[in-house]
Amino acid sequence: MNAIKDGNHIRIYDAFLIRESIKEIPGRFYDPDDKAWLVPLTPENAATLALLGVELEKNLISAPETDDALEKDEKPIVPMPIKATPYQHQVRAYNFALRLFGIGGAAP
């Protein structure tokens, strides 16, 4: 299984084993002439395909996140109900969950 960039889509070849997972991706379609699946080109879709074991073309692989947002200390939106000092990944996950359930405002 391999994938290449094709305009605004990711073209996936030899994806018979993961076809049911690809069918769950919104906006996907099958090109019978080329015998390939096409999914919209988004970082989320590229990450999903990588998790499914698809070999991605180099220009589809995102660089490790070195964003300043990940390096700064994030504070909990609502005080965490724990006594220990949480790690940054725990604070980010806690804030993500609060936003997911509509507590604490919109995502940054």
Side-chain angles (χ1 to χ4, degrees), residues 46-62:
T48 300
L49 294 172
L51 287 173
L52 291 172
V54 177
E55 294 177 25
L56 299 174
E57 194 177 48
K58 286 189 178 189
N59 61 353
L60 290 174
I61 300 172
S62 61

Side-chain angles (χ1 to χ4, degrees), residues 4 8 29 32 37 39 51 61 68 101 107:
I4 61 169
N8 291 332
F29 62 94
W37 282 96
V39 298
L51 287 173
I61 300 172
D68 293 334
F101 289 106

Side-chain angles (χ1 to χ4, degrees), residues 6-78:
D6 183 19
N8 291 332
H9 290 90
I10 301 171
R11 187 173 289 270
I12 311 153
Y13 294 98
D14 303 320
F16 182 78
L17 296 176
I18 61 168
R19 70 187 182 284
E20 294 302 321
S21 297
I22 292 174
K23 289 179 184 179
E24 298 294 321
I25 299 173
R28 83 322 188 195
F29 62 94
Y30 185 73
D31 180 2
D33 296 331
D34 199 24
K35 296 182 182 176
W37 282 96
L38 280 86
V39 298
L41 178 61
T42 63
E44 294 83 15
N45 288 343
T48 300
L49 294 172
L51 287 173
L52 291 172
V54 177
E55 294 177 25
L56 299 174
E57 194 177 48
K58 286 189 178 189
N59 61 353
L60 290 174
I61 300 172
S62 61
E65 293 187 16
T66 58
D67 190 22
D68 293 334
L70 291 179
E71 293 176 6
K72 70 175 183 176
D73 289 339
E74 188 171 344
K75 303 292 183 212
I77 295 171
V78 176

Side-chain angles (χ1 to χ4, degrees), residues 43 89 95:
H89 72 277
N95 288 342

